[in-house]
Amino acid sequence: MSKLKIASILFLLSTFILKFSSMLRDLVIAGLFGDSYRADAYIAAMTIPNALVLFMLTGMKDAFLPSYYKFDAIGKGEEHLTNIAKGTMWICLILSIGGMILAAPIVRIAYPSFAEYEDGFFIATWTIVIYFASLVFVGINAVYEGYFDAHRKFSFSVFSQTSVVLMTIVFALLFHNQIGILAVPIGYFVGTIVSLMLKLLYRTPKKFMKWKQPLDKEEVRQFYLIFWPVGLTIAVGQINLMVNTFYAAGLEEGVVANLNYAFRLINIPQAIFGVTIATIAFPIIARAKVLHDMAFFRKGVEKGLLYMLMFITPTLAGMWLLMEPLVEAVYERGAFTPEATMLVSSYAILYIGSTFFYSIQAVVAKGFYTLEKGHLMMRIGLGSILLNIISNYIFSQLYGAPGIALSASLVGMFYSIVTFSMLWKLIDGMEAKYLIKNSLQIAFATAVMLGILVLIEWQTAVGALPAILHIAILGTIGAIIYFAILLLFKNEFARKLIEKGGNPKSLI
């Protein structure tokens, strides 16, 4: 078995653990605080610094990997790592201090409706302060996670992120009675420090960076000229989520929290399949670019897209059918009521388009970053933000909270179509017949699977079973039907997935 295949399997498993822990964090918050105004205040405030967190965390990894390869090829990889780590520390420190100082006025301007609640402003303000305080650690963590990805140590990078989520959960459970929902951001802050300590121990302090190396400001400046459009593009989804939250905060109590629970749940397949496959494909297409092998570059993008579609399409179809029992099984306990289950289920169904299109976007984006065309993605992303502001205003006025979820899916569709079309032109096209043939096989297998599952729902008493058993039975039947149909088509991706023995080719 190839080293890449082993790394890919480990990464997929570690990503499952990360997303499971993320789901556990969300259901802990839902169980402790439900859809109360306290949950609204925390979630709404968190989206503001979280845009910068995502800007640094994911954007840094995507920009650093090709940059590191370039310097490593001339024997200066470690020097480049040190320069970017030190430069990022100072940049994040400035942003952190500025965010903490501006926290209170930001809350009063962005969320004036929180004044209706006794401690609404207090919760929102301190949430922003604590998240901004963690930004320095987030930035340095991001640089080293990019470094580990460059060396295909995907699983350790994901493991270090999992430690942040786990600390958030631990603090929420241990201290929610004493400090309320602020236990969540405090746990996140501690988790970012723990994550950094794990990296320090893994590389040992001596090898962590070249401590005595002077900071090359010009190298840092050149890197950030490439990084900031990449980071901004990565943060587009979070910025759009922040826009959605601004509109949701003006509606009744519980809307912000319930929309967030719905989005987090429906976003899990994207994080597991879309982001995982895109991350595994990225080093391969990056090396193809360095070697000037555009044929392999195109093939890498094509196969990345088709692997992603093979997983994401039936998963979202199954979630559409089983959304209410799924929400019940995940969230309905403690302060989370059956009424909240119905609301979250309806919102999550409207978010399905967003997850599907941003999963496509996760693969397409890697092509832009490898070609160092992040500025083009940034322009499209800025356009999507403007479109999101307009569509949120229109649909929230017409339909209320469901309109906000629907707007997210429509904006995701626009973003995905435009960026895919532009990448197609940049690389002089892809093999259209190959993409269409495999996409139609995936669509047909999904449609047949869904049709049979609907018949089972109508004609049997499976819907009366406990939610977890209901999901397990139909999920298992659906997976068997789906892959059986793909194998009847002799679909190459399904065959590679179940291939045993021999010497199977790498993912891409």
Side-chain angles (χ1 to χ4, degrees), residues 134-337:
S134 70
L135 192 59
V136 174
F137 305 106
V138 169
I140 300 173
N141 278 325
V143 174
Y144 280 91
E145 284 162 16
Y147 169 82
F148 291 129
D149 282 357
H151 288 270
R152 295 180 181 174
K153 295 178 180 178
F154 305 120
S155 55
F156 181 77
S157 180
V158 175
F159 171 73
S160 65
Q161 294 176 46
T162 305
S163 66
V164 179
V165 181
L166 293 178
M167 289 304 300
T168 305
I169 294 170
V170 168
F171 269 68
L173 291 172
L174 293 181
F175 302 112
H176 69 276
N177 285 327
Q178 294 88 343
I179 54 178
I181 201 166
L182 288 180
V184 178
I186 291 172
Y188 178 86
F189 174 77
V190 174
T192 60
I193 298 174
V194 171
S195 180
L196 183 58
M197 291 300 102
L198 287 173
K199 295 177 179 69
L200 188 66
L201 292 172
Y202 183 82
R203 286 205 58 172
T204 73
K206 185 178 179 180
K207 296 180 180 179
F208 189 71
M209 68 168 65
K210 295 181 178 294
W211 300 99
K212 296 181 180 180
Q213 177 183 310
L215 178 63
D216 188 334
K217 295 180 181 178
E218 179 58 25
E219 186 175 314
V220 174
R221 189 184 74 84
Q222 290 296 328
F223 172 80
Y224 270 88
L225 286 175
I226 297 172
F227 163 74
W228 80 266
V230 173
L232 182 59
T233 303
I234 290 293
V236 162
Q238 185 63 34
I239 293 170
N240 280 329
L241 183 62
M242 184 169 63
V243 170
N244 298 350
T245 304
F246 289 160
Y247 283 98
L251 302 175
E252 65 269 17
E253 180 182 355
V255 169
V256 171
N258 287 332
L259 281 171
N260 177 74
Y261 298 142
F263 177 80
R264 297 299 179 189
L265 179 63
I266 202 65
N267 192 54
I268 288 173
Q270 178 189 343
I272 292 176
F273 300 125
V275 175
T276 300
I277 292 168
T279 302
I280 293 171
F282 193 24
I284 297 171
I285 62 175
R287 286 200 178 278
K289 173 63 168 56
V290 170
L291 297 172
H292 304 290
D293 188 347
M294 288 307 293
F296 190 60
F297 181 96
R298 294 187 195 96
K299 187 60 66 176
V301 174
E302 290 167 3
K303 292 196 173 185
L305 285 168
L306 290 171
Y307 268 113
M308 185 276 298
L309 284 174
M310 184 180 72
F311 288 109
I312 203 77
T313 308
T315 302
L316 290 177
M319 290 183 77
W320 172 80
L321 179 64
L322 298 168
M323 191 61 73
E324 194 164 326
L326 189 58
V327 173
E328 179 186 340
V330 172
Y331 290 124
E332 195 175 303
R333 58 186 57 80
F336 196 92
T337 63

Side-chain angles (χ1 to χ4, degrees), residues 239-507:
I239 293 170
N240 280 329
L241 183 62
M242 184 169 63
V243 170
N244 298 350
T245 304
F246 289 160
Y247 283 98
L251 302 175
E252 65 269 17
E253 180 182 355
V255 169
V256 171
N258 287 332
L259 281 171
N260 177 74
Y261 298 142
F263 177 80
R264 297 299 179 189
L265 179 63
I266 202 65
N267 192 54
I268 288 173
Q270 178 189 343
I272 292 176
F273 300 125
V275 175
T276 300
I277 292 168
T279 302
I280 293 171
F282 193 24
I284 297 171
I285 62 175
R287 286 200 178 278
K289 173 63 168 56
V290 170
L291 297 172
H292 304 290
D293 188 347
M294 288 307 293
F296 190 60
F297 181 96
R298 294 187 195 96
K299 187 60 66 176
V301 174
E302 290 167 3
K303 292 196 173 185
L305 285 168
L306 290 171
Y307 268 113
M308 185 276 298
L309 284 174
M310 184 180 72
F311 288 109
I312 203 77
T313 308
T315 302
L316 290 177
M319 290 183 77
W320 172 80
L321 179 64
L322 298 168
M323 191 61 73
E324 194 164 326
L326 189 58
V327 173
E328 179 186 340
V330 172
Y331 290 124
E332 195 175 303
R333 58 186 57 80
F336 196 92
T337 63
E339 291 75 18
T341 293
M342 293 180 63
L343 288 171
V344 170
S345 300
S346 64
Y347 300 157
I349 287 172
L350 292 171
Y351 271 127
I352 285 177
S354 171
T355 297
F356 179 80
F357 289 113
Y358 279 112
S359 294
I360 294 174
Q361 174 66 20
V363 178
V364 171
K366 304 301 183 185
F368 277 90
Y369 303 147
T370 303
L371 296 171
E372 297 184 350
K373 300 290 185 181
H375 63 284
L376 297 177
M377 287 275 294
M378 182 188 68
R379 293 174 189 173
I380 302 169
L382 293 175
S384 79
I385 293 171
L386 178 61
L387 176 63
N388 191 43
I389 293 170
I390 296 170
S391 65
N392 258 282
Y393 175 77
I394 294 171
F395 287 108
S396 64
Q397 292 289 319
L398 290 175
Y399 306 115
I404 294 174
L406 177 61
S407 172
S409 290
L410 294 174
V411 171
M413 180 176 67
F414 162 82
Y415 196 27
S416 179
I417 290 173
V418 174
T419 51
F420 179 82
S421 301
M422 186 170 290
L423 180 64
W424 185 283
K425 292 179 181 178
L426 284 172
I427 62 176
D428 296 324
M430 290 178 257
E431 194 175 338
K433 289 183 179 180
Y434 179 75
L435 289 172
I436 292 170
K437 171 191 168 184
N438 283 281
S439 297
L440 287 176
Q441 289 177 357
I442 291 167
F444 180 80
T446 301
V448 173
M449 176 202 77
L450 192 60
I452 293 173
L453 293 183
V454 168
L455 285 176
I456 293 173
E457 280 273 274
W458 288 351
Q459 300 299 322
T460 70
V462 68
L465 295 172
I468 294 177
L469 195 57
H470 182 186
I471 295 164
I473 290 172
L474 290 188
T476 302
I477 293 172
I480 293 171
I481 293 169
Y482 175 74
F483 282 105
I485 294 171
L486 286 183
L487 290 172
L488 286 175
F489 280 122
K490 297 182 179 180
N491 182 273
E492 67 173 281
F493 302 98
R495 283 191 290 110
K496 284 183 181 179
L497 185 69
I498 64 170
E499 187 176 13
K500 295 180 180 180
N503 184 27
K505 297 180 180 179
S506 64
L507 179 64

